[in-house]
Amino acid sequence: MDMKALYSKIVMAHANSSDYKYDQENPDIVEAGHNPSCGDEIELELTMDGDVIKEASYTGQGCAISQASTSLMCELIEGETVDQAYQKVEDFLAMITGQKTDMEELEESLGDAVALQSIAYMPQRVKCAELAWHTLKNLIDKKRLGEGK
């Protein structure tokens, strides 16, 4: 199986997965994200254990790319510290905009989320892939400022 087919399979599996798509009973932090250009929207929920992301989930609707990207991100950040998650956001945004292309380094940081790397060549879909990551970035920035829920 070539890499393009494998990446496509990963994206579709996450787009159709409900592993991270649910409402948490008592999340510590909630952040809404919306892509006005296409109508995709999510609500990201995190449960924290100190500075560690204990549980990540989301609800919302959107295209397969936005839903897959959100699912991949949730999977990737569980068990990470806020600083580690923030670095993953930076790496993902640099990858999806074509600013970072070292696949070995990206795979180490982003795991299966590198499956979305080819979106960098489809400008109209970049915002779909970025939605969850910008939402997480906003959430972390607010947490750092002490704004909480």
Side-chain angles (χ1 to χ4, degrees):
M1 179 179 289
D2 69 37
M3 291 306 285
K4 205 173 200 175
L6 175 62
Y7 286 168
S8 182
K9 194 173 184 173
I10 289 169
V11 169
M12 290 315 297
H14 276 272
N16 296 319
S17 171
S18 61
D19 290 350
Y20 296 95
K21 192 171 185 175
Y22 60 89
D23 269 318
Q24 293 184 36
E25 223 173 279
N26 260 331
D28 294 314
I29 309 170
V30 178
E31 182 72 15
H34 178 71
N35 180 356
S37 65
C38 68
D40 293 347
E41 56 187 24
I42 63 164
E43 189 164 89
L44 181 62
E45 301 178 349
L46 299 183
T47 298
M48 306 297 296
D49 183 5
D51 201 34
V52 175
I53 300 167
K54 182 178 168 186
E55 183 178 3
S57 67
Y58 71 100
T59 57
Q61 58 191 8
C63 68
I65 291 172
S66 75
Q67 298 297 287
S69 185
T70 308
S71 176
L72 283 158
M73 184 194 72
C74 286
E75 178 180 76
L76 188 63
I77 64 172
E78 278 191 346
E80 300 287 325
T81 67
V82 170
D83 288 341
Q84 289 168 327
Y86 201 84
Q87 183 58 55
K88 290 177 187 310
V89 168
E90 296 290 314
D91 290 344
F92 183 86
L93 294 175
M95 175 193 75
I96 206 72
T97 57
Q99 296 171 15
K100 200 175 222 183
T101 57
D102 181 337
M103 288 306 285
E104 189 174 312
E105 182 182 328
L106 289 167
E107 284 175 354
E108 185 176 318
S109 173
L110 300 173
D112 284 347
V114 298
L116 293 164
Q117 189 267 345
S118 64
I119 301 301
Y121 304 105
M122 296 183 270
Q124 70 279 14
R125 303 312 301 264
V126 168
K127 287 184 193 275
C128 301
E130 290 178 329
L131 175 61
W133 300 84
H134 280 296
T135 304
L136 177 61
K137 186 177 189 301
N138 291 340
L139 184 150
I140 291 171
D141 288 342
K142 285 180 180 179
K143 179 178 175 15
R144 287 178 172 166
L145 293 173
E147 294 180 25
K149 275 189 184 180

